[in-house]
């Protein structure tokens, strides 16, 4: 029996490979949606972790959302960047860029999340599916 984590890892690995092979373009459920690859350092393991994430360009700033599709807990990358906010980001065919992930304070998070929900209505469903506050991070490029 395949474990859910194994399935998610395989899904991510396939999307990462497709992203890199196609200059940042991924098909399937992500087709047409802006994605980035976030490389963070594991909070417990210290190992590099790469995650494909939707991102939102709002007022010239890049934001990522720890929705985990509305699951009860945050995705693992949230703990990673809270522990070590120095990350690397790949967008499109651009070279890997150093950046800092900055968690938004509540008022700014709420403002940005409203825009996220307007652009991608599925995020409204994620918000109602969980009791946790879904975190939002600004990616600040070095």
């Amino acid at each position: 029996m395949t474990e859910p984590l194994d399935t998610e890892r395989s899904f991510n690995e396939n999307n990462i490979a497709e992203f890199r092979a196609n200059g940042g373009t991924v098909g399937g459920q992500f087709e047409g949606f802006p994605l980035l690859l976030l490389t963070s350092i594991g909070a417990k393991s210290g190992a590099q972790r790469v995650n494909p994430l939707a991102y939102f360009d709002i007022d010239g700033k890049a934001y990522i959302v720890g929705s985990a599709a509305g699951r009860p807990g945050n995705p693992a990358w949230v703990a990673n960047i809270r522990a070590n906010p120095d990350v690397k980001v790949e967008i499109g065919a651009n070279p890997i860029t150093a950046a800092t992930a900055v968690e938004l304070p509540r008022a700014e998070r709420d403002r940005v999340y409203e825009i996220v929900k307007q652009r991608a209505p599925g995020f409204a469903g994620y918000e109602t599916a969980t009791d946790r506050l879904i975190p939002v991070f600004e990616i600040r490029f070095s």
Side-chain angles (χ1 to χ4, degrees):
M1 183 168 123
T2 303
E3 295 294 320
L5 185 58
D6 292 336
T7 302
E8 187 171 335
R9 275 198 185 119
S10 176
F11 177 77
N12 281 346
E13 287 170 5
N14 290 337
N15 282 311
I16 291 164
E18 186 176 352
F19 181 101
R20 288 179 171 154
N22 296 306
T25 301
V26 177
Q29 72 186 63
F30 296 118
E31 190 165 352
F33 209 87
L35 293 181
L36 59 74
L37 297 183
L38 177 78
T39 301
S40 61
I41 302 299
K44 294 179 185 173
S45 70
Q48 279 196 355
R49 304 289 185 208
V50 180
N51 295 97
L53 302 174
Y55 79 95
F56 298 86
D57 183 330
I58 300 170
D59 300 327
K61 297 178 181 178
Y63 297 95
I64 53 175
V65 179
S67 68
R71 291 190 295 262
N74 287 322
W77 63 261
V78 168
N80 294 346
I81 64 176
R82 282 177 173 161
N84 183 358
D86 296 326
V87 297
K88 294 178 184 169
V89 177
E90 296 172 61
I91 296 178
N94 296 330
I96 297 171
T97 304
T100 303
V102 178
E103 188 165 3
L104 299 183
R106 180 63 188 262
E108 182 67 2
R109 176 257 176 230
D110 291 350
R111 182 190 75 78
V112 169
Y113 202 80
E114 285 303 314
I115 297 168
V116 166
K117 291 188 298 187
Q118 290 168 11
R119 293 188 185 174
F123 282 82
Y126 300 157
E127 189 174 43
T128 59
T130 186
D131 292 332
R132 68 184 170 86
L133 180 68
I134 294 173
V136 177
F137 297 83
E138 178 185 344
I139 300 298
R140 295 185 183 163
F141 295 96
S142 301

